[in-house]
């Protein structure tokens, strides 16, 4: 408190001296209305000025001054001409251009901003001007550290008089406070506190550079969410999506928490009860702590996620209608004064809402600031990732920002995607204006990556096919290679033999079938015909077998299977002969019209052998098949 | 010739069709293995699970950030404070290097996946590989059909799922693949006698050594198999080629892994392989001499060689015994010893015994983890004996050993799972083979009677069609692997069917019986599938850092651990030391990035005992211990409010035991009332005054007025007390994690001064100070 009083004293002294300095120009501020809004962590001072030119020369610029301690917290300054008298608020579109100037003969501790008027202000003319100045970190918590049960008290200091290089005729000041509870405030003449509004003035005939300090010590339990750094990455895909990823590094900028932590007052089984408690009796547990943040995303936002580096954060909810998408997020833990957290929000947006085309160039039209309400951002970095192959890139932002380009490599990129980086310090919600990034992009480039994939896989399969068909043996004359080739030949031959034998077996089956037919129909001729055809078939087959067997005999590789093959062939021949014999016997018997039992007796011995032979042949076949 | 050409081409096409089908089935099995493990991602999120995976994840992060050389030289000062840990030399690098390689490969293609994503999906990818490796191994043992069946079974065996769900980024995830693949290459070498495969086998063994401490299983199982082969007279040059290069190359390669190093030749786990290496050489020599000598000469030589060989063996054995006897643990590491003697750990090493996964399993856990496979294994063993080959002998040996090991430690159920799958695959495939064959042989004969008139050339076409149709209609409800048997059936069916009418008539089962058996088998397999999917979805997918519970008003998420870790990482100084029980060490370093005193790598018993002692000491003594360790924050896990059973109070007895093992003034009986562990009003004063009790229950009574502990189901013994040396700085939403800060010493002095000035300070403090001042 002492330090604070000292600074104030210094200020008063400085300005006491200054006030006697010569009048800066001929301008007179006929009427000044100042409204200070202290309801959130962001201080917004709206000043409406009625400027009169009392001198003779037309004036084209107006100076606004801020004391140093305010100027370093100034985040946003805009002045608009208020021309319409009637409804008044129809301000003339864009604000006037403002720039920092350092005029001569002024104290160093003041920072001046000059407003250039669109047309000079002639003698005796007047105009109405609305100036909005937004300050961050201008509220000082006092005491600096509070325990969990305490409420958060803040100090705000400013001048009751409008600090200006010009003479002010009439001035009033209204301060809007978040709560009716005010710890203390500087009492001046005509100060009145009604509800949560504090009024000073009106003051008359204030000389230039007049400074009348006021201090307000009041309660404010608003969340002091400050993002130390926010990186927004806006990635454009011409396949129809804009992917936004925002990395927040957040802390609570209010009074620091001290003493023991306790969950107790807040603890309850059910979440809704907890919310109820928080809203109804905010003093119970860390009044200034904040549990939730609300982000207003553009409409049709999809695939929204909320996570941090160790995974998904499960406490969030999402609503959407045609105008907006509202995302309510809770950090992992309630943030008390001075506590920090970090998280990432990501969402996709339809491309057509944000990407437009003009004069053969495409441009992205996107809002600059964070979608989270009432968030102060110390450093905001916006990265716009354009598709690979974009050219002629330029960005236009309505306020000064640092700007450079980078390259980012993402999915299957060859040359990388150009990235436009915009950096700005001290960002407030007023900065949520749209900015544009212009670039040229050929739509055919979109097909590059799919084609790359298609050809990649195509060549992979081609390579596979070539590998399967090409003989990649190093040496064609090596023993093992030759052995392999021979073995393959042997295998093929054995396979052929196998096939032939199975044909024979089919033929045998046919014979058997014809016998069965015979027993049913008694058609001896048909049976004979079958036998003839089978006989000729089998003879042809045995001719086919010969060269194969001789090959096997000549091949050293086949030495260990040769006996089996030969055995198979021999057995098969035996089987064949016996079958034929049986067939002939049966047919003969039929011709002699012998009885069924008789026939059975005659072929019984043969039949047994046939069955056993057939069994053996089948086993051998299986064995050979396995080779 | 034309006649023989056509079927030849037919066979070619059929073979091509078969291999394409088999390939497709394998692909689908891979997809199945991968996707059944994604329940955790779908139900929860893509996050690393449990404890050890967090360490592996952190190591992988370091590897991808700093490169391989920094990784080998990494001295981690954020753990085991103030000792630190040489990560590069004490970690099995296989998993980390695998994920790192995957990450680098993806990034070289400019696919920007995060390290976390790669780590989360490493395990599912490798379980697909593991099921393919199982196919290869079983194919070598019992053919393609059994291979596909075993692969499909392994793809979804719950025991393996429990260690390889997405996010379970642990060594076992890749090690099981390496294990099976090494076995496959061994069997492949054994079957082919190819030196190429033998070399691959040693490389695969090297990968296994890199990945998991369980490689000792391989280096003991293979020698045992070799020995068994020799004893049963199955020695061949193929066996020599399969074994000798593995021992030489494998041991050399294994010694390259820093964590193994000279252990590869020094510890007893490896001695079996060297012994068998000698034996196989002796046997090889015998066979060689037998080959070059006449039988008579051989008999003479045999006596000579046997006597020399015996002498050499005796010498070697003596040397080995001397070496072994000279080391205190007989050259065995604690974990291996507890395998040989299940009671060893609980007697001598409480740290090993305190881990739940080192306990012997119960019967229900067998049913839970391998389900119906437990009943199929005996059938598989029988199938392996008809006929017995080198490969099937290996399968039998594998199952027998792994059943024993899984009986000792729950964790080794994981080694049992592949063996169980292989044998069950063999059993199932053989059973289906027999049943479908009996059905098939009898189906045509049935149709014979109906089509007896039209028995012509055309009937040959009709009959197989029918068979195929019936096969198909039976197969549709069957598992994927039975498709393979369908394919197998098709092959013979397309050949003239009459040929098979006689064939193996004797082994054919009655038609109705085989139909019923097939249906029962299908039901059994269906039950297995249902169980596996249930296990994957419900039992094994919880990441254990996020807990959920279903209540009347929907799903409730308990995300307290990450809440606490996030708080630590953002709101404490980067060099602050956090003390907690060792279970939470890995997570704290990985998620909160804070230095811990002890972690899950329990290499220093004394250090852990120090923390255990602090937790079981009264507040002041604990403060002194922690202060001497430069600890700033103490983290305890407390489940009493929401009923989370695995909290620190339930683990507390282990802290007492481990602490008491090193510092004898901590005595377990002091914490037990009549041998019972309790925290209610009957608890001992030592218990009620120890730090763990106080930190857990501090201000707990104010939540409900009664201080009812929902885990222990009782009201706590001491409800109102104040902390003098610790200060609560954070408690998570459900009170599951509570973080306390050590009060700085100067505060105490100020408190003392204040006390001497005014008597307003807390009574406990003044009492404490009073007792301390008295002696002076």
């Amino acid at each position: 408190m002492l330090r604070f009083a000292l600074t104030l004293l210094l200020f008063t002294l400085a300005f006491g001296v200054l006030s006697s300095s010569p009048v800066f120009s001929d301008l007179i501020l006929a009427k000044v209305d100042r409204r200070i809004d202290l309801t959130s962590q962001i201080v917004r001072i709206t000043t409406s000025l009625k400027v009169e030119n009392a001198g003779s020369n037309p004036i084209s610029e107006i100076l606004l001054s801020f004391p140093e301690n305010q100027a370093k917290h100034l985040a946003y300054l805009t002045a608009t001409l208020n021309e319409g008298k009637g409804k008044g608020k129809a301000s003339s579109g864009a604000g006037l251009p403002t720039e920092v100037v350092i005029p001569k003969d002024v104290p160093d501790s003041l920072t001046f901003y000059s407003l250039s008027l669109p047309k000079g202000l002639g003698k005796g003319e007047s105009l109405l001007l609305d100036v909005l100045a937004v300050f961050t970190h201008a509220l000082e918590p006092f005491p600096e550290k509070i325990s969990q049960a305490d409420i958060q008290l803040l100090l705000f200091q400013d001048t009751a008089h409008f600090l200006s290089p010009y003479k002010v005729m009439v001035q009033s000041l209204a301060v809007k406070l978040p709560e009716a509870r005010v710890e203390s405030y500087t009492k001046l003449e005509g100060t009145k506190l009604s509800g949560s509004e504090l009024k000073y003035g009106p003051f008359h005939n204030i000389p230039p550079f007049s400074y009348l300090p006021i201090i307000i010590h009041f309660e404010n339990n608003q969340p002091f969410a400050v993002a130390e750094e926010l990186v927004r990455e806006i990635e454009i895909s011409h396949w129809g999506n804009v992917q936004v990823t925002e990395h927040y590094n957040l802390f609570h900028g209010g009074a620091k928490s001290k003493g023991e932590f306790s969950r107790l007052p807040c603890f309850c089984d059910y979440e809704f009860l907890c919310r109820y408690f928080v809203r109804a009796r905010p003093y119970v547990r860390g009044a200034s702590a904040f549990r939730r943040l609300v982000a207003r995303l553009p409409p049709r936002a999809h695939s929204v996620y909320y996570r941090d580096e160790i995974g998904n954060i499960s406490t969030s909810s999402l609503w959407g209608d045609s105008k907006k998408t509202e995302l309510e997020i809770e950090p992992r833990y309630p943030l008390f004064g001075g506590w920090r957290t970090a998280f990432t929000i990501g969402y996709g947006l339809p491309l057509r809402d944000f990407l437009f085309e003009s004069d053969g160039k495409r441009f992205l039209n996107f809002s600059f600031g964070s979608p989270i309400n009432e968030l102060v951002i110390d450093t905001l970095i916006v990265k716009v990732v354009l598709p690979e192959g974009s050219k002629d890139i330029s960005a236009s932002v309505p306020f000064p920002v640092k700007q450079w380009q980078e390259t980012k490599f993402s999915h299957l990129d060859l040359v990388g995607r150009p990235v436009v980086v915009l950096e700005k310090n001290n960002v407030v919600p007023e900065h949520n204006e749209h900015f544009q990034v212009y670039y040229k992009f050929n739509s055919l480039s979109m097909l590059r990556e799919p084609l790359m994939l298609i050809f990649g896989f195509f060549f992979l399969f081609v390579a596979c096919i070539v590998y399967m068909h090409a003989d990649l043996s190093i040496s064609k004359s090596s023993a093992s290679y030759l052995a392999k080739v021979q073995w393959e030949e042997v295998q093929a031959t054995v396979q052929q033999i196998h096939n032939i034998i199975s044909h024979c077996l089919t033929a045998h089956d046919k014979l058997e079938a014809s016998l069965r037919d015979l027993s049913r129909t008694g058609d001896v001729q048909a049976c004979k015909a079958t036998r003839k055809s089978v006989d000729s078939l089998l003879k042809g087959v045995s001719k086919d077998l010969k060269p194969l067997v001789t090959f096997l005999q000549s091949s050293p590789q086949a030495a260990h299977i040769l006996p089996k093959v030969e055995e198979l062939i021999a057995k098969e021949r035996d089987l064949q002969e016996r079958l034929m014999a049986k067939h002939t016997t049966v047919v003969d018997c039929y011709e002699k019209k012998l009885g069924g039992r008789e026939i059975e007796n005659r072929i019984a011995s043969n039949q047994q052998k046939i069955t056993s032979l057939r069994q053996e042949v089948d086993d051998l076949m299986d064995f050979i098949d396995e080779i | 010739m034309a006649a023989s050409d056509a079927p030849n081409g037919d066979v070619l096409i059929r073979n091509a069709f078969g291999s394409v089908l088999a390939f497709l089935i394998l692909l689908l099995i891979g997809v199945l293995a991968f996707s059944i493990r994604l329940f955790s991602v779908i139900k929860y999120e893509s996050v690393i699970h449990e404890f050890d995976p967090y360490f592996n994840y952190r190591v992988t992060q370091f590897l991808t950030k700093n490169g391989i050389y920094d990784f080998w030289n990494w001295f981690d000062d954020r753990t085991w404070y103030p000792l630190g840990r040489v990560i590069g030399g004490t970690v099995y690098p296989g998993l980390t290097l695998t994920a790192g390689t995957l990450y680098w490969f993806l990034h070289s293609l400019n696919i920007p996946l995060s390290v976390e994503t790669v780590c989360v999906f490493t395990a599912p990818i490798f379980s697909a590989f593991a099921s393919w490796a199982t196919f290869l191994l079983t194919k070598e043992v019992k053919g393609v059909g059994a291979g596909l069946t075993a692969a499909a079974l392994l793809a979804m065996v719950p025991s393996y799922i429990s260690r390889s769900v997405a996010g379970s980024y642990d060594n076992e995830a890749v090690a099981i693949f390496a294990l099976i693949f090494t076995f496959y290459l061994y069997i492949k070498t054994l079957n082919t006698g190819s030196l190429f495969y033998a070399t691959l086998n040693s490389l695969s063994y090297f990968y296994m050594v890199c990945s998991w401490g369980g490689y000792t299983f391989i280096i003991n199982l293979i020698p045992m198999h070799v020995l068994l082969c020799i004893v049963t007279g199955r020695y061949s040059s193929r066996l020599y080629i399969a074994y000798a290069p593995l021992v030489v190359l494998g041991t050399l390669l294994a010694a390259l892994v820093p964590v193994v190093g000279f252990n590869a030749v020094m510890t007893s786990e490896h001695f079996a392989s060297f012994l068998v290496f000698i034996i196989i050489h002796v046997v090889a020599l015998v066979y060689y001499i037998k080959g070059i000598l006449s039988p008579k000469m051989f008999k003479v030589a045999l006596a000579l060689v046997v006597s020399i060989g015996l002498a050499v063996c005796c010498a070697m054995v003596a040397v080995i015994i001397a070496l072994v006897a000279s080391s205190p643990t007989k050259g065995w590491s604690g974990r291996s010893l507890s395998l040989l003697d299940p009671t060893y750990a609980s007697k001598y090493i409480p740290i090993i015994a305190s881990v739940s996964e080192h306990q012997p399993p119960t019967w229900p856990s067998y049913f839970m983890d391998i389900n119906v496979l437990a009943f199929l294994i005996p059938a598989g063993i029988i199938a392996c004996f008809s006929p017995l080959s080198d490969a099937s002998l290996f399968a039998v040996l594998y199952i027998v050993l792994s059943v024993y090991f899984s009986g000792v430690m729950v964790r080794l159920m994981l080694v049992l799972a592949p063996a169980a799958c292989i044998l069950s695959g063999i059993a199932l495939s053989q059973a289906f083979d027999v049943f479908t064959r009996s059905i098939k042989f009898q189906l045509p004969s049935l149709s014979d009677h109906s089509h007896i008139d039209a028995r012509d050339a055309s009937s040959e076409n009709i009959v197989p069609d029918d068979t195929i149709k019936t096969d198909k209609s039976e197969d549709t409800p069957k598992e994927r692997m039975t498709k393979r048997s369908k394919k197998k059936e098709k092959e013979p069916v397309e050949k003239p069917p009459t040929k098979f009418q006689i064939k193996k008539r004797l082994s054919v089962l009655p038609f109705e019986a085989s139909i019923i058996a097939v249906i029962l088998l299908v039901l059994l397999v269906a039950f297995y599938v249902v169980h596996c999917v249930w296990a994957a979805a419900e039992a094994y997918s919880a990441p254990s850092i996020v807990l959920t519970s279903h209540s009347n008003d929907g799903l409730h998420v308990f995300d307290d651990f990450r809440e606490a870790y996030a708080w630590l990482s953002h709101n404490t100084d980067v060099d602050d030391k956090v003390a907690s029980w060792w279970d939470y060490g890995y997570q704290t370093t990985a998620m909160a990035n804070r230095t811990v005193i002890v972690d899950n790598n329990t290499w220093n018993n004394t250090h852990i005992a120090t923390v255990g002692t602090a937790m079981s000491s009264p507040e002041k003594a604990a403060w002194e211990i922690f202060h001497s360790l430069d600890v700033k924050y103490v983290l305890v896990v407390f489940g009493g409010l929401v009923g989370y059973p695995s909290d620190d109070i339930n683990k507390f007895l282990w802290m007492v035991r481990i602490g008491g093992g090193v510092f004898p003034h901590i005595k377990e009986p002091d914490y037990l009332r009549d041998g019972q562990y309790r925290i209610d009003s009957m608890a001992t004063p030592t218990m009620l005054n120890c730090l763990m009790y106080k930190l857990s229950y501090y201000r707990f009574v104010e939540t409900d007025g009664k201080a009812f502990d929902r885990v222990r189901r009782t009201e706590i013994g001491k409800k109102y007390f104040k902390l003098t040396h610790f200060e609560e700085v954070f408690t998570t939403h459900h009170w599951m994690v509570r973080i306390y800060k050590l009060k700085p010493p100067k505060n105490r002095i100020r408190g003392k001064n204040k006390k001497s000035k005014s008597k307003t300070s807390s009574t406990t403090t003044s009492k404490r100070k009073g007792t301390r001042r008295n002696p002076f």
Side-chain angles (χ1 to χ4, degrees), chain A residues 259-264 267 269-271 291 307-314 332-334 338-342 409-414 495-496 498-500 503 505-506 509 516 520 544 614-615 618 621-622 625, chain B residues 1 3-4 7-8 11 45 47 109-112 116 452-453 460 495-496 498-499 502-504 553 556-557 559 562-563 565-567 569-571 591 641 698-699 702-703 710 726-733 735:
Chain A
E260 203 159 67
F261 171 87
S262 174
R263 273 278 167 186
L264 276 168
F267 173 75
D269 266 337
Y270 299 102
E271 194 67 52
R291 289 179 67 85
R307 57 168 293 150
D308 64 4
E309 55 185 353
I310 55 175
N312 189 34
I313 308 174
S314 48
R332 285 197 185 273
Y333 40 88
W339 285 16
R340 286 162 189 284
T341 190
F409 286 90
S410 186
H411 297 274
L412 299 171
D413 286 347
L414 291 179
Q495 187 62 47
Q496 274 178 12
H498 185 266
N499 284 335
I500 289 169
H503 266 271
L505 292 180
T506 327
D509 290 339
R516 245 175 284 146
R520 217 154 19 87
D544 287 345
R614 180 68 191 241
Q615 187 61 46
D618 275 345
M621 288 281 279
D622 271 359
D625 199 22
Chain B
M1 280 311 279
S4 68
N8 213 0
V11 165
E45 55 179 289
V47 72
L109 291 179
N110 281 328
I111 297 173
E116 193 189 6
I452 208 132
D453 290 323
E460 275 182 15
K495 286 174 190 172
T498 38
K499 169 190 154 192
I502 316 157
K503 179 191 173 187
K504 287 184 183 164
D553 51 337
H556 203 87
V557 179
D559 203 357
R562 287 194 296 188
E563 185 182 343
Y565 295 132
W567 185 87
S569 88
H570 290 117
N571 297 303
M591 280 198 267
L641 189 73
Y698 179 61
R699 295 184 77 180
E702 290 167 56
T703 55
R710 291 187 197 180
F726 294 86
E727 180 185 43
E728 184 181 4
V729 287
F730 188 69
T731 297
T732 57
H733 189 254
W735 288 53

Side-chain angles (χ1 to χ4, degrees), chain B residues 116-418:
Chain B
E116 193 189 6
T117 316
V118 173
C119 294
V120 164
F121 291 101
T122 300
I125 290 173
F126 269 79
S127 36
F129 291 169
S131 53
W132 292 333
T134 311
F135 164 74
L136 293 172
L137 173 57
T138 321
K139 195 184 115 195
E140 287 303 316
V141 176
K142 262 297 186 247
V144 180
L148 287 168
T149 319
L153 289 178
L154 186 99
M156 50 189 172
V157 63
S159 169
Y160 186 30
I161 286 182
S162 72
R163 291 318 190 97
S164 63
V165 291
S168 181
Y169 178 57
D170 213 346
N171 286 337
E172 288 92 333
V174 300
I176 291 302
F177 158 72
L179 181 87
I180 302 171
F181 197 65
T182 310
F183 286 153
Y184 157 66
L185 285 171
Y186 171 69
I187 296 297
K188 182 82 181 170
T189 322
L190 199 58
N191 283 350
T192 58
S194 151
L195 206 53
F196 171 69
Y197 284 112
T199 319
L200 280 191
N201 189 16
S202 350
L203 288 178
S204 167
Y205 172 67
F206 174 54
Y207 184 65
M208 177 69 194
V209 177
C210 280
S211 307
W212 196 31
Y215 74 91
T216 44
F217 184 65
I218 294 184
I219 207 62
N220 284 303
L221 178 62
I222 289 181
M224 280 168 102
H225 175 247
V226 171
L227 201 62
L228 200 61
C229 282
I230 292 171
V231 168
T232 52
R234 292 174 161 272
Y235 172 82
S236 64
S237 56
R238 288 175 289 116
L239 185 70
Y240 181 84
I241 286 175
Y243 185 66
L246 174 70
V247 172
V248 177
L249 283 179
T251 305
L252 279 177
L253 288 170
L256 291 181
V257 183
V259 65
V260 178
F262 278 103
N263 283 351
V265 285
M266 303 270 279
T267 57
S268 306
E269 282 98 337
H270 304 82
F271 281 172
S273 63
F274 301 134
L275 200 67
V276 173
F277 186 67
I278 296 165
I279 293 173
I280 200 172
H281 275 95
V282 172
V283 172
L285 193 67
V286 170
Y287 272 81
Y288 176 70
I289 292 169
K290 197 177 182 179
I292 54 169
L293 294 181
S294 62
K296 253 184 200 171
M297 284 289 283
F298 176 70
K299 268 186 189 160
V300 181
L302 187 67
L304 192 74
V305 168
V306 163
S307 54
I308 292 175
L310 271 182
V312 171
C313 282
C314 288
M316 291 304 291
V317 168
V319 168
I320 289 166
I321 287 171
L323 273 177
V324 168
S326 66
S327 73
T329 60
K330 312 275 186 282
W332 293 79
S333 67
R335 279 196 182 88
S336 311
L337 264 186
S338 60
L339 273 183
L340 297 179
D341 173 12
T343 58
Y344 178 82
S346 54
K347 268 191 239 153
Y348 301 106
I349 323 171
I351 280 204
I352 290 182
S354 76
V355 181
S356 62
E357 63 185 21
H358 292 158
Q359 309 291 339
T362 51
W363 278 114
S365 72
Y366 272 100
F367 189 73
M368 175 71 200
D369 274 0
I370 56 173
N371 200 248
V372 301
L373 305 189
F375 311 117
L376 291 172
I377 289 171
I381 294 178
I382 293 169
C384 278
F385 275 104
S386 57
L388 188 68
S389 65
D390 291 351
S392 62
L393 184 67
F394 180 78
V396 172
L397 192 68
Y398 181 17
I399 188 80
V400 169
L401 272 186
S402 59
V403 164
Y404 169 73
F405 284 136
S406 72
V408 177
M409 261 190 208
V410 181
R411 195 149 99 121
L412 292 176
M413 195 78 97
L414 196 59
V415 176
L416 170 67

Side-chain angles (χ1 to χ4, degrees), chain A residues 6-46:
Chain A
L6 265 177
T7 32
L8 278 183
L9 192 67
L10 280 176
F11 261 111
T12 345
L13 280 177
F15 290 110
V17 175
L18 275 174
S19 56
S20 61
S21 66
V23 176
F24 200 73
S25 93
D26 298 331
L27 281 177
I28 292 173
L29 304 178
K31 189 162 182 275
V32 178
D33 266 332
R34 296 179 72 209
R35 284 184 303 280
I36 303 177
D37 184 354
L38 298 180
T39 48
S40 73
Q41 60 162 330
I42 299 166
V43 178
R44 294 185 173 86
I45 303 181
T46 324

Side-chain angles (χ1 to χ4, degrees), chain A residues 65-369:
Chain A
S65 62
F66 295 99
E68 199 180 33
N69 66 330
Q70 279 189 356
K72 69 175 185 239
H73 293 140
L74 180 67
Y76 184 78
L77 177 68
T78 175
T80 44
L81 277 178
N82 194 345
E83 282 161 344
K85 280 252 166 177
K87 299 234 164 164
K89 289 294 153 196
S91 52
S92 61
L96 299 173
T98 55
E99 58 177 321
V100 182
V101 288
I102 307 166
K104 283 170 194 162
D105 303 330
V106 292
D108 292 341
S109 53
L110 287 183
T111 312
F112 286 86
Y113 288 85
S114 96
L115 303 176
S116 328
L117 298 175
K119 57 178 199 282
L121 191 65
K123 181 177 190 290
E125 282 176 323
S126 71
L127 54 84
L128 284 175
L129 208 57
D130 281 337
V131 178
L132 171 65
V134 181
F135 300 93
T136 57
H137 303 296
L139 300 171
E140 262 183 77
F142 188 85
E144 279 180 5
K145 287 185 175 178
I146 55 172
S147 78
Q148 222 180 319
D150 294 340
I151 53 167
Q152 179 172 270
L153 294 172
L154 300 172
L155 274 183
F156 176 71
Q157 45 168 315
D158 197 5
T159 162
H161 290 169
F162 182 59
L163 185 64
S164 154
Y166 312 116
K167 199 176 173 213
V168 180
M169 306 307 289
V170 183
Q171 190 235 317
S172 65
L173 171 65
V175 183
K176 197 164 172 253
L177 301 171
E179 319 248 352
R181 235 179 105 178
V182 180
E183 195 78 5
S184 71
Y185 57 94
T186 312
K187 290 195 177 71
L188 298 171
E189 232 180 300
T191 308
K192 49 176 194 277
L193 176 69
S194 57
S196 61
E197 191 157 274
L198 188 62
K199 280 199 168 123
Y200 286 95
F203 307 103
H204 297 279
N205 289 329
I206 308 166
F209 298 116
S210 161
Y211 190 93
L212 182 61
I214 51 167
I215 299 174
I216 306 164
H217 193 196
F218 63 101
E219 180 187 334
N220 184 343
N221 287 318
Q222 295 301 309
F224 271 41
V226 182
E228 223 169 359
E229 191 185 62
L230 165 60
V231 180
R232 301 185 82 203
E233 194 176 275
I234 302 157
E235 186 161 354
I236 300 170
S237 157
H238 277 269
W239 294 98
N241 191 34
V242 177
Q243 180 66 39
V244 185
T245 317
E246 299 173 350
H247 305 277
Y248 288 88
N249 214 331
L250 213 66
F251 74 99
H252 187 299
K256 293 207 167 30
S257 166
K258 70 165 185 198
E260 203 159 67
F261 171 87
S262 174
R263 273 278 167 186
L264 276 168
C266 140
F267 173 75
C268 42
D269 266 337
Y270 299 102
E271 194 67 52
F272 69 87
L273 212 61
C274 208
R275 280 183 201 167
Y276 174 78
F277 261 105
V278 173
R279 294 219 172 115
R281 297 170 56 201
Y283 302 117
V284 173
R285 161 221 61 125
S288 63
F290 66 90
R291 289 179 67 85
R292 66 203 70 240
L293 296 162
V294 177
R296 284 169 68 100
L297 309 179
R300 289 188 289 285
H302 59 89
S303 334
V304 181
Y305 66 84
Y306 168 48
R307 57 168 293 150
D308 64 4
E309 55 185 353
I310 55 175
N312 189 34
I313 308 174
S314 48
T315 43
S316 60
S317 42
L318 186 75
W319 303 274
D321 55 30
S322 62
K323 294 218 176 81
K324 60 171 194 304
T325 312
E326 215 169 59
L327 172 70
E328 187 188 289
I329 56 176
E330 278 178 32
R332 285 197 185 273
Y333 40 88
L335 281 186
F336 285 88
W339 285 16
R340 286 162 189 284
T341 190
F343 56 86
T344 304
I345 299 176
Y347 47 93
L349 297 167
L351 186 72
R352 58 173 192 283
D353 293 2
F354 299 95
L355 194 78
F356 308 97
E357 234 174 303
S358 73
D359 319 332
K361 274 192 150 186
R362 294 161 201 262
F363 70 94
L364 173 84
N365 193 24
F366 210 80
S367 74
F368 186 78

